[in-house]
Structures are given as C-alpha cells and as structure tokens.
Amino acid sequence: MNMMSNSTKAIGPITPISIQIDEEKYRMEGETFDGKITRIARNLCDGEEHYDIIYNILSDMRFLPAGRIQTACGSPRNVTAYNCFVSDTIDDSLESIMKNATQAAFTMKKGGGIGYNFSHIRPKGDWIKTLASKASGPISFMKIFDAVCQTIASSGFRRGAQMGCLNIDSPSIEEFITVKQDETSLTGFNISICITDKFMNCLINDEPFDLTFEGKVYKTVDPKALWDKIMQSTWDWAEPGVLFIDRINEMNNLYYCEDIEATNPCGEQPLGRFSACLLGSWNLVKYVNDGQFDWEQFKKDIPPIVRMMDNVIDRTTYPLPEQEEQAKNKRRMGLGITGLANCGEMLGYSYGSEGFIKFTEAVLSTLRDETYSTSSDLAVEKGSFPDFDPTKYFGGKFFQTLPDDLKVKITNNGLRNSHLTSIAPTGTISLVADNVSSGIEPPFSHYYDRTYRTFDGDQIVRVEDYAYSKGVIGRTADEISVQDHLNVLATAQKYIDSAVSKTCNVSDDVTFEEFKDVYLNAWKL
C-alpha cells in the first residue's frame, strides 16, 4: 500500500462550499480537516499500523464515514455515531405509545433518526370497551411523534428525521395515503407503505383485498382503486413511499431472529426493533487513475475499513440500552459506495449503459466479497456476532448468493457482522467530497448556484459536479430513462444485503399509466 507519512497533513476538500459544510457539520470548533481525520482514526484504530492505514484512506477521502461517525467519534460531544434507528414495536396501548415517544425523544436528542410502524394501533372509530369511547386511530398518534421531532429540532439539536410506516392492509391506509397533502401535517416524517406480495397478487389478478386489524375484516377494497390512490399521491406529492416488506424479510440475513416492519428515514436500512444503521461509503472517483480503475487499491482499502467500522459498535454511546444490546448482538453495518456515476463516466461508461452496468456489478461484487471475507477473518480474531446461528444463517437467501469459496470460509470461521452492505443517499458527505455524484445516483445537474456565506457577506457561488469539473460531461438524472434508473437499482440490489437508496426520475412525457408500471416493474425486479 502506498502509505502517507503522518507528518504530511491531510488536505481534504478544496471547493469553498465543501470546506464550509465540513467545518460546520463535522469538525469541532477550531478543528482542521487533518485534525478531524486524526481524531476519527485514533479513536477507531486497532493499533499504530491500523491507524496509519485508515488515516491514509480517510485523509484521501477514499472512504467517507457517515456524518454521525465524523461528528461523534473521538469528540467530546455526547452524541451517537449511529445515523438512524428503528423503534420498539408500538402496541395498541397508551403506555406503549407514550413510552416509544419518550424513547424517540432521547434518540433524537443524541442525534439519531428513527423509523416506526404504526399498524398495531387500532383504527379510527374502533370502540374501546374499557374507556367506553372510540379510538382516534394511528395517524392521530403519529402527530405526537411529529411534535416530539419538531420540539427536539427547535431545541438546538440537528433536525430530527423520522420514517412512519403503515401496512397496506391497515383499515387506516386510505387516510394515511393522503395525510401529508395539506403540506402542514407530519412534516417531521417521511412516510411509506409496507406492501405485501398478497396485495400485489390481488392487484395483478383483480381480486378483492381485505383491510384488517387483529384478524377482523373492517373493509374489502378494490386493490386497483387503492393502488391508483397511492400512485396518484406519489405522482402529485412524491409520497408515500413503497416498501416491499415481504421481500425485505425474505432476504434478511437475520430472518430467523427478527421481524422487520420499518426502515430508517431514508429507507436504505430495513431494521428490526431497537436496531440501528452504521453507515459509510467508498468514494469511487478516488480510484480512477489515468482512465483506469485501481482495483488493487480498492480491495486493499476494504479490510481496514471493515475493522474500523466494527470498532464503532463498541466505542460509541447509545441513546438507549436496548439499542446498544441490539447493536452488539447483531453488529450490523451498511457499507456502500458513492460517486458511481462520476466514476463510471470518467472511465467512459455512460450511465445506465451495458458497460456501466457491468462496471457496477464488478464494483459491488468486489465490495460484497471483500466485506464478508474480512468479517469472517474478524470472527476468528474477535468472535462472531452473538446472534449468529450457523444452521439458520446459512439458510438465508442472501447468503446463498455468495461465491462458494466464501460460503466455505464463513462456514469454517463464522462471521463478525450480520449485515455488511447498504447504499445510502450520501448527499452531504458527497458534497463535502467536492460534490461527487451521490450514492449510485447520476448528477441532478452539471452545476448549480448556491449562496455561500463569507466574512464580507453572502456570495453566490457556482457548485460544479465533480466529473464535470474534470471535463467529463456525463448524463444527468433527467436525461436517463426510468428503465435505465430501474436497471441500475436492480443491479445494485443483487449485491447489497440490506437496501439501496435510489431516486428514479420521471420525465414530463411519461404518462400516469407508465408511471404506475415503474412500481410494478420494481416489485417484479
């Protein structure tokens, strides 16, 4: 490995807006970029050799830890290095609802976002015998969590992030679909519907679909009418999102010991109760040299980073003891990539093209294999994650996609981490890395103007896409067909053990019927 001497200070981002955001969000007061990298590397290393290696990787911005890690690790701030959590099950009782709201407040106070599923709360109008009154329904109780989020945000902490989920068969689903359309309700939430295979099959086969609660049928609906209502809201308001919940649970490595009902606020981490996501991304543009991708360096960089990220689990604080227990029992992480579009275009692969798809497969299969191989090596040294049950884990559908030699290695050695890969939106950390294309997204535009604060007042500065600034004019999001967007998403998902955050841009010439097909095709893929 080409090592950097510790006497050579890290340079960091070079564009003014990237420097400013890094200073404001991720550095301590008066801390330099080099100071930040030193702090993180020192806090998460396993000795001097490991420190030197991860210092080199982080200082070159080849790997970008998620913002919470950059803010929390090694700092005096009492915040968690975890970006997001999923709540405990919210049962149909005031005690459970208020307990979860309190836990949410403590979680957001420490800097974590939260996902919830509100389907276990009885529907609006249901008779409550013990109170001799009617229930107000799950959406009314979501407003309590929304108020908590707004209050914590207004108390000086980072703005809270929440995901509110409801099952497609909930009697409250029709109200849920339109709840945010007044632009004032539940503004602290992203909302998503947990769509089942049963519903999709009813939709395709034109069969009636029951809305139920605790086994009782409250209403039978036309699935096409309900689907159209969801699609129309998404067409007009970009919400609610859709989670194919059966696929999530079917492909979950921990299918045998957790039931997933919700995701983190951005959707790239479906999580069990009290579980959390630990995120970071390899910055692919940093591996392009003279028009070639440096596969050797990419492979070398993965093991020390997996080791570093595994250490976060034991060296950070947790808002709740239940969250710490789940994190240490599962040792879940979500390592991904950013700059894919820029990198591919810099190598001559037009976004969505056959060459681009093959390059994406090569990158993500390498990421999958190297992360799992490293985690298996760590299991020999430090032990497998406590919830590891070989007889059941090896029956998982994602495990079956691994190469045979890797399956054998894990069978012999065990595994340190239940999950290893995820592709997050990476918006802010990508902007800090001189505005590389975020995640697996194409750039939204080649450049845009942004207000930049200086000592002399506000100035308008042009922010250029990373590849564009290097003379590479790649395809932008609106120049790419919906099918190309879907193809990239489906390709990525094959190699990712949790989920992928991806925006599929729809041009003005796409009809509503064609738009609906995007979701149907996504389910089929």
Side-chain angles (χ1 to χ4, degrees):
M1 180 173 290
N2 185 17
M3 299 297 296
M4 173 186 283
S5 167
N6 287 341
S7 62
T8 304
K9 288 189 175 182
I11 298 172
I14 59 174
T15 55
I17 194 69
S18 301
I19 295 169
Q20 181 188 27
I21 293 173
D22 188 50
E23 289 175 345
E24 291 177 352
K25 284 186 171 289
Y26 303 140
R27 302 184 201 172
M28 305 297 102
E29 186 174 354
E31 188 176 50
T32 63
F33 177 82
D34 180 75
K36 179 189 75 169
I37 297 304
T38 301
R39 164 173 57 81
I40 297 168
R42 183 59 66 193
N43 181 249
L44 298 179
C45 70
D46 275 350
E48 288 303 312
E49 182 180 2
H50 189 217
Y51 168 79
D52 286 341
I53 294 171
I54 60 177
Y55 175 91
N56 173 256
I57 295 170
L58 297 180
S59 64
D60 193 35
M61 296 193 291
R62 299 201 299 274
F63 181 80
L64 308 172
R68 292 288 88 196
I69 294 171
Q70 296 193 45
T71 301
C73 289
S75 89
R77 296 175 181 172
N78 188 20
V79 293
T80 181
Y82 280 86
N83 276 54
C84 299
F85 301 80
V86 159
S87 75
D88 190 13
T89 301
I90 303 176
D91 292 320
D92 184 39
S93 71
L94 188 61
E95 179 184 11
S96 177
I97 293 165
M98 299 312 296
K99 180 180 179 181
N100 273 279
T102 300
Q103 290 174 336
F106 281 108
T107 301
M108 284 185 274
K109 182 180 178 182
K110 295 284 188 181
I114 321 168
Y116 323 83
N117 187 301
F118 293 94
S119 302
H120 299 287
I121 300 175
R122 72 182 66 192
K124 184 177 181 179
D126 211 19
W127 186 253
I128 307 174
K129 292 181 181 179
T130 55
L131 298 178
S133 63
K134 291 183 177 181
S136 57
I139 282 105
S140 68
F141 286 108
M142 288 179 71
K143 295 175 182 178
I144 294 175
F145 291 81
D146 190 56
V148 169
C149 180
Q150 305 292 353
T151 302
I152 296 295
S154 66
S155 296
F157 298 93
R158 69 192 287 259
R159 177 175 168 79
Q162 300 183 113
M163 171 69 84
C165 301
L166 200 71
N167 297 347
I168 185 65
D169 61 357
S170 168
S172 303
I173 193 64
E174 291 167 300
E175 181 186 2
F176 183 78
I177 292 167
T178 60
V179 67
K180 292 187 67 178
Q181 292 181 5
D182 60 7
E183 297 186 303
T184 60
S185 299
L186 304 183
T187 56
F189 274 101
N190 292 329
I191 61 171
S192 288
I193 299 172
C194 294
I195 304 278
T196 59
D197 287 345
K198 180 180 179 180
F199 173 81
M200 296 303 292
N201 287 322
C202 286
L203 176 67
I204 291 170
N205 297 320
D206 199 18
E207 298 173 351
F209 183 73
D210 292 334
L211 305 183
T212 66
F213 182 76
E214 294 186 343
K216 176 185 174 182
V217 176
Y218 281 70
K219 186 178 181 181
T220 299
V221 299
D222 175 3
K224 289 187 176 179
L226 184 58
W227 185 246
D228 278 355
K229 188 169 187 175
I230 296 168
M231 293 294 99
Q232 190 66 55
S233 181
T234 307
W235 175 267
D236 293 335
W237 299 91
E239 277 195 295
V242 163
L243 302 171
F244 295 122
I245 197 68
D246 288 339
R247 202 67 58 248
I248 284 171
N249 280 291
E250 176 188 322
M251 298 302 293
N252 180 21
N253 284 349
L254 293 175
Y255 70 95
Y256 57 88
C257 66
E258 67 179 14
D259 183 30
I260 293 178
E261 294 188 315
T263 73
N264 72 322
C266 292
E268 76 275 9
Q269 278 278 318
L271 299 164
R273 54 189 293 271
F274 286 122
S275 291
C277 54
L278 189 62
L279 304 172
S281 304
W282 273 272
N283 182 6
L284 297 182
V285 301
K286 293 292 186 175
Y287 296 94
V288 179
N289 297 310
D290 298 324
Q292 300 293 318
F293 190 80
D294 191 342
W295 292 103
E296 182 182 1
Q297 186 67 61
F298 183 51
K299 289 179 181 179
K300 280 184 178 179
D301 285 352
I302 293 174
I305 291 299
V306 172
R307 176 182 287 272
M308 179 191 87
M309 294 293 282
D310 183 68
N311 286 338
V312 176
I313 299 166
D314 301 309
R315 300 179 189 179
T316 190
T317 60
Y318 294 85
L320 303 170
E322 296 92 340
Q323 293 164 345
E324 180 174 7
E325 180 184 17
Q326 287 297 311
K328 291 181 176 178
N329 282 344
K330 296 174 170 64
R331 307 194 71 84
R332 188 188 232 118
M333 62 177 77
L335 307 182
I337 58 172
T338 193
L340 176 68
N342 281 173
C343 179
E345 299 273 8
M346 290 165 71
L347 295 172
Y349 305 127
S350 179
Y351 191 94
S353 67
E354 183 180 352
F356 186 88
I357 294 293
K358 288 181 178 179
F359 174 69
T360 300
E361 288 198 291
V363 167
L364 293 179
S365 62
T366 300
L367 177 66
R368 177 198 63 187
D369 296 351
E370 294 298 320
T371 54
Y372 271 81
S373 180
T374 303
S375 184
S376 188
D377 291 334
L378 282 175
V380 175
E381 179 185 340
K382 298 184 176 184
S384 294
F385 66 94
D387 282 348
F388 181 59
D389 183 339
T391 60
K392 295 177 180 176
Y393 192 91
F394 298 157
K397 290 195 173 183
F398 186 82
F399 179 82
Q400 297 304 319
T401 69
L402 300 178
D404 288 343
D405 60 338
L406 193 48
K407 290 179 189 174
V408 171
K409 180 176 183 176
I410 295 170
T411 301
N412 292 333
N413 295 353
L415 202 61
R416 180 68 172 165
N417 313 95
S418 69
H419 296 72
L420 285 142
T421 56
S422 180
I423 296 180
T426 72
T428 307
I429 60 172
S430 297
L431 179 55
V432 167
D434 293 319
N435 199 31
V436 299
S437 57
S438 58
I440 61 169
E441 306 286 11
F444 187 76
S445 60
H446 291 136
Y447 55 83
Y448 62 92
D449 293 331
R450 179 166 175 155
T451 302
Y452 172 60
R453 293 194 304 277
T454 71
F455 289 114
D456 299 321
D458 288 350
Q459 296 182 9
I460 304 297
V461 296
R462 175 151 291 186
V463 180
E464 292 187 340
D465 169 64
Y466 181 88
Y468 183 80
S469 72
K470 305 294 183 185
V472 177
I473 304 176
R475 300 174 76 191
T476 55
D478 60 349
E479 297 172 335
I480 298 162
S481 71
V482 176
Q483 192 56 49
D484 282 347
H485 279 293
L486 274 182
N487 289 343
V488 172
L489 172 58
T491 299
Q493 188 62 74
K494 285 192 295 185
Y495 301 97
I496 298 298
D497 61 26
S498 47
V500 178
S501 176
K502 176 80 181 79
T503 300
C504 294
N505 294 79
V506 180
S507 60
D508 292 337
D509 59 357
V510 172
T511 67
F512 182 59
E513 292 302 315
E514 291 170 331
F515 172 78
K516 290 193 292 182
D517 284 342
V518 174
Y519 284 77
L520 191 60
N521 289 336
W523 176 66
K524 290 176 179 177
L525 286 168

